[in-house]
Amino acid sequence: MRVTPSKVLIASSQGASATIRRLLHEVPGCEIVAQAHEGNEVIRQVRSHLPLLVIFEHGSPNLDTVETIKELRNEAPGLKFLVLLNNETQFWTVLASRAEGYVVWPTTYLPAAVSTIANGGAWLGPLLTEYLLNGDGWNVLRSASASLSALPAILNVLSPREKEVLNLLVNGLTNQEIADSIQLSNGTIKVHVKNILNKLNVNSRAQAVALLTKIRTGNNQ
């Protein structure tokens, strides 16, 4: 196993931290520099210890995984993240974090995940991979793929990012929620929305949503 020496910060409950520490001792070159139990403490410890990787136990009390990762990315752009999930369906609740790795916990694959991420890779644990490719998660991916690939010629005037924003508009997200979900600023989303309305020759978000809804249902009259 090729390993890049890694400074790791653990953001988890007391109950999980002992198991995480034990498994990380199996990773050559891995140094646990700190442990934190709530979001502000995680941020303080990152500033103090400058780790390469932060391991989050998603669902741990006092830890907002997505918001904390978002803030840390602004502070330390090179920082990497591994999110531990209680079950496969939690993947959708933290997808907006765009972490480098996700794994259903507890698992003995933690050393392999840390090593892969430390060496510049990405990691989905075997349970999560099975869920996404062969389990219920496949239906979610298939639905998303169908909604994007089914866009007809009228929407070809939109850029890939504008199509993504339009699909999120249809799902009822506000500008800020769209910005949070795709890691852009609110101002950038406002520009995308304005461009979408101009390109589709409609006057409001509601009209753009109505147009895409008609297209999806095949009602183009």
Side-chain angles (χ1 to χ4, degrees), residues 38-77:
E38 55 89 20
N40 290 334
E41 185 183 0
V42 174
I43 294 169
R44 288 195 299 270
Q45 295 285 16
V46 166
R47 290 170 178 167
S48 175
H49 296 281
L50 303 177
L52 169 71
L53 171 69
V54 180
I55 299 177
F56 276 89
E57 180 195 7
H58 183 56
S60 179
N62 304 316
L63 273 175
D64 186 325
T65 303
V66 175
E67 289 301 316
T68 306
I69 289 178
K70 185 185 305 180
E71 186 166 349
L72 288 172
R73 284 200 187 279
N74 290 331
E75 290 218 3

PDB file of all heavy atoms in Angstrom, residues 38-77:
ATOM      1  N   GLU A  38     -17.380  19.346  17.833  1.00  0.00           N
ATOM      2  CA  GLU A  38     -18.378  20.278  17.284  1.00  0.00           C
ATOM      3  C   GLU A  38     -17.721  21.187  16.257  1.00  0.00           C
ATOM      4  O   GLU A  38     -16.499  21.312  16.205  1.00  0.00           O
ATOM      5  CB  GLU A  38     -19.058  21.076  18.399  1.00  0.00           C
ATOM      6  CG  GLU A  38     -18.134  21.834  19.311  1.00  0.00           C
ATOM      7  CD  GLU A  38     -17.860  23.230  18.791  1.00  0.00           C
ATOM      8  OE1 GLU A  38     -18.662  23.718  17.956  1.00  0.00           O
ATOM      9  OE2 GLU A  38     -16.860  23.834  19.194  1.00  0.00           O
ATOM     10  N   GLY A  39     -18.572  21.817  15.398  1.00  0.00           N
ATOM     11  CA  GLY A  39     -18.082  22.506  14.224  1.00  0.00           C
ATOM     12  C   GLY A  39     -17.045  23.570  14.470  1.00  0.00           C
ATOM     13  O   GLY A  39     -15.992  23.602  13.818  1.00  0.00           O
ATOM     14  N   ASN A  40     -17.292  24.481  15.425  1.00  0.00           N
ATOM     15  CA  ASN A  40     -16.340  25.562  15.690  1.00  0.00           C
ATOM     16  C   ASN A  40     -15.005  25.027  16.186  1.00  0.00           C
ATOM     17  O   ASN A  40     -13.944  25.572  15.865  1.00  0.00           O
ATOM     18  CB  ASN A  40     -16.929  26.547  16.701  1.00  0.00           C
ATOM     19  CG  ASN A  40     -18.071  27.362  16.119  1.00  0.00           C
ATOM     20  OD1 ASN A  40     -18.132  27.575  14.908  1.00  0.00           O
ATOM     21  ND2 ASN A  40     -18.983  27.807  16.977  1.00  0.00           N
ATOM     22  N   GLU A  41     -15.067  23.949  16.963  1.00  0.00           N
ATOM     23  CA  GLU A  41     -13.830  23.348  17.458  1.00  0.00           C
ATOM     24  C   GLU A  41     -13.042  22.720  16.312  1.00  0.00           C
ATOM     25  O   GLU A  41     -11.801  22.799  16.274  1.00  0.00           O
ATOM     26  CB  GLU A  41     -14.143  22.294  18.518  1.00  0.00           C
ATOM     27  CG  GLU A  41     -12.899  21.701  19.164  1.00  0.00           C
ATOM     28  CD  GLU A  41     -13.229  20.598  20.157  1.00  0.00           C
ATOM     29  OE1 GLU A  41     -14.431  20.297  20.353  1.00  0.00           O
ATOM     30  OE2 GLU A  41     -12.281  20.026  20.714  1.00  0.00           O
ATOM     31  N   VAL A  42     -13.747  22.096  15.361  1.00  0.00           N
ATOM     32  CA  VAL A  42     -13.072  21.532  14.194  1.00  0.00           C
ATOM     33  C   VAL A  42     -12.313  22.619  13.455  1.00  0.00           C
ATOM     34  O   VAL A  42     -11.136  22.453  13.092  1.00  0.00           O
ATOM     35  CB  VAL A  42     -14.092  20.862  13.246  1.00  0.00           C
ATOM     36  CG1 VAL A  42     -13.401  20.405  11.953  1.00  0.00           C
ATOM     37  CG2 VAL A  42     -14.766  19.665  13.909  1.00  0.00           C
ATOM     38  N   ILE A  43     -12.959  23.748  13.238  1.00  0.00           N
ATOM     39  CA  ILE A  43     -12.333  24.856  12.513  1.00  0.00           C
ATOM     40  C   ILE A  43     -11.108  25.374  13.271  1.00  0.00           C
ATOM     41  O   ILE A  43     -10.053  25.631  12.676  1.00  0.00           O
ATOM     42  CB  ILE A  43     -13.360  25.973  12.274  1.00  0.00           C
ATOM     43  CG1 ILE A  43     -14.455  25.480  11.318  1.00  0.00           C
ATOM     44  CG2 ILE A  43     -12.686  27.217  11.705  1.00  0.00           C
ATOM     45  CD1 ILE A  43     -15.650  26.384  11.214  1.00  0.00           C
ATOM     46  N   ARG A  44     -11.233  25.511  14.581  1.00  0.00           N
ATOM     47  CA  ARG A  44     -10.089  25.971  15.387  1.00  0.00           C
ATOM     48  C   ARG A  44      -8.915  24.990  15.297  1.00  0.00           C
ATOM     49  O   ARG A  44      -7.751  25.401  15.187  1.00  0.00           O
ATOM     50  CB  ARG A  44     -10.511  26.157  16.848  1.00  0.00           C
ATOM     51  CG  ARG A  44     -11.405  27.369  17.092  1.00  0.00           C
ATOM     52  CD  ARG A  44     -11.482  27.690  18.571  1.00  0.00           C
ATOM     53  NE  ARG A  44     -12.053  26.580  19.334  1.00  0.00           N
ATOM     54  CZ  ARG A  44     -13.348  26.431  19.579  1.00  0.00           C
ATOM     55  NH1 ARG A  44     -14.213  27.319  19.117  1.00  0.00           N
ATOM     56  NH2 ARG A  44     -13.793  25.418  20.292  1.00  0.00           N
ATOM     57  N   GLN A  45      -9.215  23.708  15.367  1.00  0.00           N
ATOM     58  CA  GLN A  45      -8.159  22.697  15.328  1.00  0.00           C
ATOM     59  C   GLN A  45      -7.487  22.644  13.958  1.00  0.00           C
ATOM     60  O   GLN A  45      -6.276  22.415  13.856  1.00  0.00           O
ATOM     61  CB  GLN A  45      -8.736  21.319  15.686  1.00  0.00           C
ATOM     62  CG  GLN A  45      -9.263  21.206  17.102  1.00  0.00           C
ATOM     63  CD  GLN A  45      -8.144  21.096  18.131  1.00  0.00           C
ATOM     64  OE1 GLN A  45      -6.984  21.396  17.856  1.00  0.00           O
ATOM     65  NE2 GLN A  45      -8.490  20.677  19.329  1.00  0.00           N
ATOM     66  N   VAL A  46      -8.262  22.850  12.897  1.00  0.00           N
ATOM     67  CA  VAL A  46      -7.669  22.889  11.558  1.00  0.00           C
ATOM     68  C   VAL A  46      -6.705  24.058  11.451  1.00  0.00           C
ATOM     69  O   VAL A  46      -5.594  23.935  10.926  1.00  0.00           O
ATOM     70  CB  VAL A  46      -8.771  22.983  10.478  1.00  0.00           C
ATOM     71  CG1 VAL A  46      -8.169  23.359   9.122  1.00  0.00           C
ATOM     72  CG2 VAL A  46      -9.525  21.662  10.357  1.00  0.00           C
ATOM     73  N   ARG A  47      -7.108  25.214  11.961  1.00  0.00           N
ATOM     74  CA  ARG A  47      -6.226  26.389  11.928  1.00  0.00           C
ATOM     75  C   ARG A  47      -4.945  26.141  12.718  1.00  0.00           C
ATOM     76  O   ARG A  47      -3.860  26.596  12.333  1.00  0.00           O
ATOM     77  CB  ARG A  47      -6.956  27.592  12.509  1.00  0.00           C
ATOM     78  CG  ARG A  47      -8.097  28.112  11.636  1.00  0.00           C
ATOM     79  CD  ARG A  47      -8.917  29.135  12.391  1.00  0.00           C
ATOM     80  NE  ARG A  47      -9.987  29.693  11.568  1.00  0.00           N
ATOM     81  CZ  ARG A  47     -10.992  30.407  12.049  1.00  0.00           C
ATOM     82  NH1 ARG A  47     -11.063  30.664  13.363  1.00  0.00           N
ATOM     83  NH2 ARG A  47     -11.924  30.870  11.240  1.00  0.00           N
ATOM     84  N   SER A  48      -5.072  25.422  13.805  1.00  0.00           N
ATOM     85  CA  SER A  48      -3.928  25.212  14.691  1.00  0.00           C
ATOM     86  C   SER A  48      -2.974  24.139  14.176  1.00  0.00           C
ATOM     87  O   SER A  48      -1.755  24.293  14.249  1.00  0.00           O
ATOM     88  CB  SER A  48      -4.428  24.835  16.091  1.00  0.00           C
ATOM     89  OG  SER A  48      -3.361  24.521  16.948  1.00  0.00           O
ATOM     90  N   HIS A  49      -3.538  23.036  13.643  1.00  0.00           N
ATOM     91  CA  HIS A  49      -2.710  21.866  13.322  1.00  0.00           C
ATOM     92  C   HIS A  49      -2.470  21.648  11.829  1.00  0.00           C
ATOM     93  O   HIS A  49      -1.622  20.825  11.463  1.00  0.00           O
ATOM     94  CB  HIS A  49      -3.340  20.613  13.912  1.00  0.00           C
ATOM     95  CG  HIS A  49      -3.392  20.608  15.410  1.00  0.00           C
ATOM     96  ND1 HIS A  49      -2.291  20.314  16.188  1.00  0.00           N
ATOM     97  CD2 HIS A  49      -4.411  20.855  16.267  1.00  0.00           C
ATOM     98  CE1 HIS A  49      -2.624  20.385  17.465  1.00  0.00           C
ATOM     99  NE2 HIS A  49      -3.907  20.713  17.546  1.00  0.00           N
ATOM    100  N   LEU A  50      -3.227  22.319  10.959  1.00  0.00           N
ATOM    101  CA  LEU A  50      -3.046  22.219   9.508  1.00  0.00           C
ATOM    102  C   LEU A  50      -2.994  20.769   9.020  1.00  0.00           C
ATOM    103  O   LEU A  50      -2.013  20.333   8.405  1.00  0.00           O
ATOM    104  CB  LEU A  50      -1.771  22.958   9.085  1.00  0.00           C
ATOM    105  CG  LEU A  50      -1.684  24.441   9.464  1.00  0.00           C
ATOM    106  CD1 LEU A  50      -0.342  25.007   9.051  1.00  0.00           C
ATOM    107  CD2 LEU A  50      -2.823  25.212   8.825  1.00  0.00           C
ATOM    108  N   PRO A  51      -4.040  19.989   9.268  1.00  0.00           N
ATOM    109  CA  PRO A  51      -4.041  18.596   8.808  1.00  0.00           C
ATOM    110  C   PRO A  51      -4.199  18.509   7.293  1.00  0.00           C
ATOM    111  O   PRO A  51      -4.591  19.475   6.627  1.00  0.00           O
ATOM    112  CB  PRO A  51      -5.260  18.009   9.516  1.00  0.00           C
ATOM    113  CG  PRO A  51      -6.193  19.181   9.650  1.00  0.00           C
ATOM    114  CD  PRO A  51      -5.307  20.356   9.933  1.00  0.00           C
ATOM    115  N   LEU A  52      -3.909  17.332   6.747  1.00  0.00           N
ATOM    116  CA  LEU A  52      -4.161  17.071   5.332  1.00  0.00           C
ATOM    117  C   LEU A  52      -5.592  16.589   5.127  1.00  0.00           C
ATOM    118  O   LEU A  52      -6.229  16.879   4.105  1.00  0.00           O
ATOM    119  CB  LEU A  52      -3.195  15.994   4.811  1.00  0.00           C
ATOM    120  CG  LEU A  52      -3.506  15.428   3.417  1.00  0.00           C
ATOM    121  CD1 LEU A  52      -3.208  16.469   2.345  1.00  0.00           C
ATOM    122  CD2 LEU A  52      -2.728  14.147   3.151  1.00  0.00           C
ATOM    123  N   LEU A  53      -6.111  15.854   6.124  1.00  0.00           N
ATOM    124  CA  LEU A  53      -7.406  15.189   5.988  1.00  0.00           C
ATOM    125  C   LEU A  53      -8.223  15.352   7.265  1.00  0.00           C
ATOM    126  O   LEU A  53      -7.675  15.250   8.369  1.00  0.00           O
ATOM    127  CB  LEU A  53      -7.193  13.692   5.708  1.00  0.00           C
ATOM    128  CG  LEU A  53      -8.416  12.773   5.738  1.00  0.00           C
ATOM    129  CD1 LEU A  53      -9.333  13.063   4.552  1.00  0.00           C
ATOM    130  CD2 LEU A  53      -7.980  11.307   5.708  1.00  0.00           C
ATOM    131  N   VAL A  54      -9.517  15.624   7.104  1.00  0.00           N
ATOM    132  CA  VAL A  54     -10.437  15.635   8.242  1.00  0.00           C
ATOM    133  C   VAL A  54     -11.447  14.513   8.034  1.00  0.00           C
ATOM    134  O   VAL A  54     -12.069  14.413   6.970  1.00  0.00           O
ATOM    135  CB  VAL A  54     -11.180  16.976   8.379  1.00  0.00           C
ATOM    136  CG1 VAL A  54     -12.134  16.936   9.574  1.00  0.00           C
ATOM    137  CG2 VAL A  54     -10.197  18.125   8.533  1.00  0.00           C
ATOM    138  N   ILE A  55     -11.608  13.673   9.038  1.00  0.00           N
ATOM    139  CA  ILE A  55     -12.589  12.585   8.993  1.00  0.00           C
ATOM    140  C   ILE A  55     -13.809  13.012   9.794  1.00  0.00           C
ATOM    141  O   ILE A  55     -13.713  13.283  10.990  1.00  0.00           O
ATOM    142  CB  ILE A  55     -12.010  11.280   9.564  1.00  0.00           C
ATOM    143  CG1 ILE A  55     -10.799  10.834   8.730  1.00  0.00           C
ATOM    144  CG2 ILE A  55     -13.072  10.193   9.600  1.00  0.00           C
ATOM    145  CD1 ILE A  55     -10.116   9.592   9.277  1.00  0.00           C
ATOM    146  N   PHE A  56     -14.963  13.096   9.124  1.00  0.00           N
ATOM    147  CA  PHE A  56     -16.207  13.503   9.763  1.00  0.00           C
ATOM    148  C   PHE A  56     -17.100  12.293  10.012  1.00  0.00           C
ATOM    149  O   PHE A  56     -17.332  11.487   9.109  1.00  0.00           O
ATOM    150  CB  PHE A  56     -16.989  14.471   8.864  1.00  0.00           C
ATOM    151  CG  PHE A  56     -16.569  15.904   8.987  1.00  0.00           C
ATOM    152  CD1 PHE A  56     -15.553  16.412   8.197  1.00  0.00           C
ATOM    153  CD2 PHE A  56     -17.201  16.759   9.882  1.00  0.00           C
ATOM    154  CE1 PHE A  56     -15.168  17.728   8.290  1.00  0.00           C
ATOM    155  CE2 PHE A  56     -16.827  18.082   9.993  1.00  0.00           C
ATOM    156  CZ  PHE A  56     -15.804  18.574   9.199  1.00  0.00           C
ATOM    157  N   GLU A  57     -17.622  12.194  11.228  1.00  0.00           N
ATOM    158  CA  GLU A  57     -18.684  11.227  11.507  1.00  0.00           C
ATOM    159  C   GLU A  57     -20.011  11.950  11.285  1.00  0.00           C
ATOM    160  O   GLU A  57     -20.454  12.722  12.126  1.00  0.00           O
ATOM    161  CB  GLU A  57     -18.587  10.709  12.943  1.00  0.00           C
ATOM    162  CG  GLU A  57     -19.682   9.707  13.276  1.00  0.00           C
ATOM    163  CD  GLU A  57     -19.817   9.468  14.781  1.00  0.00           C
ATOM    164  OE1 GLU A  57     -19.150  10.174  15.570  1.00  0.00           O
ATOM    165  OE2 GLU A  57     -20.603   8.577  15.151  1.00  0.00           O
ATOM    166  N   HIS A  58     -20.642  11.729  10.131  1.00  0.00           N
ATOM    167  CA  HIS A  58     -21.878  12.435   9.820  1.00  0.00           C
ATOM    168  C   HIS A  58     -22.986  11.995  10.777  1.00  0.00           C
ATOM    169  O   HIS A  58     -23.163  10.808  11.035  1.00  0.00           O
ATOM    170  CB  HIS A  58     -22.306  12.160   8.385  1.00  0.00           C
ATOM    171  CG  HIS A  58     -23.531  12.917   7.966  1.00  0.00           C
ATOM    172  ND1 HIS A  58     -23.608  14.285   8.042  1.00  0.00           N
ATOM    173  CD2 HIS A  58     -24.732  12.494   7.493  1.00  0.00           C
ATOM    174  CE1 HIS A  58     -24.794  14.685   7.616  1.00  0.00           C
ATOM    175  NE2 HIS A  58     -25.492  13.621   7.286  1.00  0.00           N
ATOM    176  N   GLY A  59     -23.722  12.964  11.288  1.00  0.00           N
ATOM    177  CA  GLY A  59     -24.785  12.666  12.240  1.00  0.00           C
ATOM    178  C   GLY A  59     -24.336  12.784  13.682  1.00  0.00           C
ATOM    179  O   GLY A  59     -25.154  12.669  14.594  1.00  0.00           O
ATOM    180  N   SER A  60     -23.040  13.033  13.881  1.00  0.00           N
ATOM    181  CA  SER A  60     -22.551  13.231  15.238  1.00  0.00           C
ATOM    182  C   SER A  60     -23.153  14.515  15.810  1.00  0.00           C
ATOM    183  O   SER A  60     -23.241  15.523  15.112  1.00  0.00           O
ATOM    184  CB  SER A  60     -21.026  13.332  15.230  1.00  0.00           C
ATOM    185  OG  SER A  60     -20.517  13.557  16.523  1.00  0.00           O
ATOM    186  N   PRO A  61     -23.594  14.489  17.073  1.00  0.00           N
ATOM    187  CA  PRO A  61     -24.186  15.687  17.683  1.00  0.00           C
ATOM    188  C   PRO A  61     -23.249  16.886  17.597  1.00  0.00           C
ATOM    189  O   PRO A  61     -22.030  16.757  17.743  1.00  0.00           O
ATOM    190  CB  PRO A  61     -24.411  15.258  19.143  1.00  0.00           C
ATOM    191  CG  PRO A  61     -24.496  13.774  19.101  1.00  0.00           C
ATOM    192  CD  PRO A  61     -23.567  13.347  18.007  1.00  0.00           C
ATOM    193  N   ASN A  62     -23.838  18.068  17.336  1.00  0.00           N
ATOM    194  CA  ASN A  62     -23.108  19.345  17.284  1.00  0.00           C
ATOM    195  C   ASN A  62     -22.181  19.483  16.079  1.00  0.00           C
ATOM    196  O   ASN A  62     -21.350  20.385  16.031  1.00  0.00           O
ATOM    197  CB  ASN A  62     -22.280  19.552  18.569  1.00  0.00           C
ATOM    198  CG  ASN A  62     -23.126  19.491  19.810  1.00  0.00           C
ATOM    199  OD1 ASN A  62     -24.210  20.062  19.875  1.00  0.00           O
ATOM    200  ND2 ASN A  62     -22.638  18.757  20.804  1.00  0.00           N
ATOM    201  N   LEU A  63     -22.301  18.579  15.094  1.00  0.00           N
ATOM    202  CA  LEU A  63     -21.486  18.661  13.895  1.00  0.00           C
ATOM    203  C   LEU A  63     -22.386  18.771  12.664  1.00  0.00           C
ATOM    204  O   LEU A  63     -23.144  17.846  12.364  1.00  0.00           O
ATOM    205  CB  LEU A  63     -20.595  17.426  13.744  1.00  0.00           C
ATOM    206  CG  LEU A  63     -19.231  17.438  14.438  1.00  0.00           C
ATOM    207  CD1 LEU A  63     -18.553  16.091  14.263  1.00  0.00           C
ATOM    208  CD2 LEU A  63     -18.356  18.545  13.886  1.00  0.00           C
ATOM    209  N   ASP A  64     -22.329  19.901  11.975  1.00  0.00           N
ATOM    210  CA  ASP A  64     -23.019  20.064  10.701  1.00  0.00           C
ATOM    211  C   ASP A  64     -21.986  19.796   9.614  1.00  0.00           C
ATOM    212  O   ASP A  64     -21.181  20.659   9.268  1.00  0.00           O
ATOM    213  CB  ASP A  64     -23.588  21.484  10.572  1.00  0.00           C
ATOM    214  CG  ASP A  64     -24.436  21.667   9.326  1.00  0.00           C
ATOM    215  OD1 ASP A  64     -24.096  21.049   8.289  1.00  0.00           O
ATOM    216  OD2 ASP A  64     -25.421  22.422   9.369  1.00  0.00           O
ATOM    217  N   THR A  65     -22.011  18.603   9.073  1.00  0.00           N
ATOM    218  CA  THR A  65     -20.959  18.166   8.151  1.00  0.00           C
ATOM    219  C   THR A  65     -20.826  19.082   6.942  1.00  0.00           C
ATOM    220  O   THR A  65     -19.738  19.562   6.621  1.00  0.00           O
ATOM    221  CB  THR A  65     -21.231  16.729   7.688  1.00  0.00           C
ATOM    222  OG1 THR A  65     -21.315  15.871   8.831  1.00  0.00           O
ATOM    223  CG2 THR A  65     -20.120  16.232   6.772  1.00  0.00           C
ATOM    224  N   VAL A  66     -21.940  19.324   6.247  1.00  0.00           N
ATOM    225  CA  VAL A  66     -21.884  20.094   4.999  1.00  0.00           C
ATOM    226  C   VAL A  66     -21.416  21.522   5.246  1.00  0.00           C
ATOM    227  O   VAL A  66     -20.520  22.030   4.548  1.00  0.00           O
ATOM    228  CB  VAL A  66     -23.254  20.091   4.292  1.00  0.00           C
ATOM    229  CG1 VAL A  66     -23.236  20.997   3.068  1.00  0.00           C
ATOM    230  CG2 VAL A  66     -23.648  18.668   3.887  1.00  0.00           C
ATOM    231  N   GLU A  67     -21.994  22.186   6.225  1.00  0.00           N
ATOM    232  CA  GLU A  67     -21.644  23.580   6.488  1.00  0.00           C
ATOM    233  C   GLU A  67     -20.205  23.722   6.977  1.00  0.00           C
ATOM    234  O   GLU A  67     -19.497  24.666   6.600  1.00  0.00           O
ATOM    235  CB  GLU A  67     -22.609  24.186   7.510  1.00  0.00           C
ATOM    236  CG  GLU A  67     -24.004  24.424   6.976  1.00  0.00           C
ATOM    237  CD  GLU A  67     -24.014  25.351   5.772  1.00  0.00           C
ATOM    238  OE1 GLU A  67     -23.304  26.377   5.805  1.00  0.00           O
ATOM    239  OE2 GLU A  67     -24.694  25.036   4.784  1.00  0.00           O
ATOM    240  N   THR A  68     -19.759  22.795   7.813  1.00  0.00           N
ATOM    241  CA  THR A  68     -18.392  22.876   8.327  1.00  0.00           C
ATOM    242  C   THR A  68     -17.380  22.642   7.217  1.00  0.00           C
ATOM    243  O   THR A  68     -16.366  23.346   7.116  1.00  0.00           O
ATOM    244  CB  THR A  68     -18.170  21.867   9.471  1.00  0.00           C
ATOM    245  OG1 THR A  68     -19.166  22.053  10.481  1.00  0.00           O
ATOM    246  CG2 THR A  68     -16.793  22.051  10.095  1.00  0.00           C
ATOM    247  N   ILE A  69     -17.638  21.657   6.351  1.00  0.00           N
ATOM    248  CA  ILE A  69     -16.735  21.406   5.227  1.00  0.00           C
ATOM    249  C   ILE A  69     -16.695  22.609   4.298  1.00  0.00           C
ATOM    250  O   ILE A  69     -15.631  23.006   3.807  1.00  0.00           O
ATOM    251  CB  ILE A  69     -17.156  20.138   4.462  1.00  0.00           C
ATOM    252  CG1 ILE A  69     -16.851  18.893   5.314  1.00  0.00           C
ATOM    253  CG2 ILE A  69     -16.432  20.041   3.120  1.00  0.00           C
ATOM    254  CD1 ILE A  69     -17.269  17.586   4.671  1.00  0.00           C
ATOM    255  N   LYS A  70     -17.848  23.212   4.059  1.00  0.00           N
ATOM    256  CA  LYS A  70     -17.903  24.382   3.190  1.00  0.00           C
ATOM    257  C   LYS A  70     -17.029  25.507   3.744  1.00  0.00           C
ATOM    258  O   LYS A  70     -16.269  26.153   3.003  1.00  0.00           O
ATOM    259  CB  LYS A  70     -19.345  24.855   3.045  1.00  0.00           C
ATOM    260  CG  LYS A  70     -19.529  26.006   2.066  1.00  0.00           C
ATOM    261  CD  LYS A  70     -20.955  26.514   2.062  1.00  0.00           C
ATOM    262  CE  LYS A  70     -21.922  25.395   1.782  1.00  0.00           C
ATOM    263  NZ  LYS A  70     -23.319  25.889   1.767  1.00  0.00           N
ATOM    264  N   GLU A  71     -17.113  25.746   5.042  1.00  0.00           N
ATOM    265  CA  GLU A  71     -16.314  26.805   5.646  1.00  0.00           C
ATOM    266  C   GLU A  71     -14.833  26.469   5.609  1.00  0.00           C
ATOM    267  O   GLU A  71     -13.988  27.332   5.352  1.00  0.00           O
ATOM    268  CB  GLU A  71     -16.767  27.047   7.087  1.00  0.00           C
ATOM    269  CG  GLU A  71     -16.088  28.225   7.742  1.00  0.00           C
ATOM    270  CD  GLU A  71     -16.767  28.679   9.021  1.00  0.00           C
ATOM    271  OE1 GLU A  71     -17.895  28.214   9.297  1.00  0.00           O
ATOM    272  OE2 GLU A  71     -16.167  29.510   9.732  1.00  0.00           O
ATOM    273  N   LEU A  72     -14.508  25.189   5.837  1.00  0.00           N
ATOM    274  CA  LEU A  72     -13.109  24.786   5.827  1.00  0.00           C
ATOM    275  C   LEU A  72     -12.502  24.867   4.430  1.00  0.00           C
ATOM    276  O   LEU A  72     -11.318  25.174   4.277  1.00  0.00           O
ATOM    277  CB  LEU A  72     -12.973  23.365   6.380  1.00  0.00           C
ATOM    278  CG  LEU A  72     -13.176  23.214   7.886  1.00  0.00           C
ATOM    279  CD1 LEU A  72     -13.218  21.754   8.277  1.00  0.00           C
ATOM    280  CD2 LEU A  72     -12.069  23.939   8.648  1.00  0.00           C
ATOM    281  N   ARG A  73     -13.289  24.620   3.412  1.00  0.00           N
ATOM    282  CA  ARG A  73     -12.765  24.723   2.037  1.00  0.00           C
ATOM    283  C   ARG A  73     -12.369  26.164   1.725  1.00  0.00           C
ATOM    284  O   ARG A  73     -11.404  26.402   0.996  1.00  0.00           O
ATOM    285  CB  ARG A  73     -13.801  24.230   1.036  1.00  0.00           C
ATOM    286  CG  ARG A  73     -13.943  22.715   0.980  1.00  0.00           C
ATOM    287  CD  ARG A  73     -14.581  22.250  -0.316  1.00  0.00           C
ATOM    288  NE  ARG A  73     -14.869  20.828  -0.290  1.00  0.00           N
ATOM    289  CZ  ARG A  73     -13.984  19.869  -0.516  1.00  0.00           C
ATOM    290  NH1 ARG A  73     -12.731  20.201  -0.781  1.00  0.00           N
ATOM    291  NH2 ARG A  73     -14.338  18.594  -0.491  1.00  0.00           N
ATOM    292  N   ASN A  74     -13.119  27.111   2.271  1.00  0.00           N
ATOM    293  CA  ASN A  74     -12.766  28.520   2.070  1.00  0.00           C
ATOM    294  C   ASN A  74     -11.468  28.876   2.785  1.00  0.00           C
ATOM    295  O   ASN A  74     -10.671  29.678   2.304  1.00  0.00           O
ATOM    296  CB  ASN A  74     -13.900  29.425   2.567  1.00  0.00           C
ATOM    297  CG  ASN A  74     -15.131  29.338   1.692  1.00  0.00           C
ATOM    298  OD1 ASN A  74     -15.032  29.072   0.494  1.00  0.00           O
ATOM    299  ND2 ASN A  74     -16.295  29.554   2.281  1.00  0.00           N
ATOM    300  N   GLU A  75     -11.257  28.248   3.951  1.00  0.00           N
ATOM    301  CA  GLU A  75     -10.064  28.559   4.742  1.00  0.00           C
ATOM    302  C   GLU A  75      -8.831  27.805   4.265  1.00  0.00           C
ATOM    303  O   GLU A  75      -7.728  28.331   4.289  1.00  0.00           O
ATOM    304  CB  GLU A  75     -10.321  28.216   6.219  1.00  0.00           C
ATOM    305  CG  GLU A  75     -11.300  29.131   6.899  1.00  0.00           C
ATOM    306  CD  GLU A  75     -10.899  29.438   8.331  1.00  0.00           C
ATOM    307  OE1 GLU A  75      -9.823  28.979   8.755  1.00  0.00           O
ATOM    308  OE2 GLU A  75     -11.652  30.151   8.999  1.00  0.00           O
ATOM    309  N   ALA A  76      -9.035  26.552   3.867  1.00  0.00           N
ATOM    310  CA  ALA A  76      -7.908  25.692   3.493  1.00  0.00           C
ATOM    311  C   ALA A  76      -8.268  24.914   2.233  1.00  0.00           C
ATOM    312  O   ALA A  76      -8.712  23.766   2.311  1.00  0.00           O
ATOM    313  CB  ALA A  76      -7.567  24.732   4.642  1.00  0.00           C
ATOM    314  N   PRO A  77      -8.094  25.512   1.049  1.00  0.00           N
ATOM    315  CA  PRO A  77      -8.534  24.897  -0.206  1.00  0.00           C
ATOM    316  C   PRO A  77      -7.943  23.514  -0.471  1.00  0.00           C
ATOM    317  O   PRO A  77      -8.562  22.693  -1.142  1.00  0.00           O
ATOM    318  CB  PRO A  77      -8.075  25.903  -1.264  1.00  0.00           C
ATOM    319  CG  PRO A  77      -7.997  27.209  -0.539  1.00  0.00           C
ATOM    320  CD  PRO A  77      -7.556  26.865   0.852  1.00  0.00           C
TER     321      PRO A  77
END
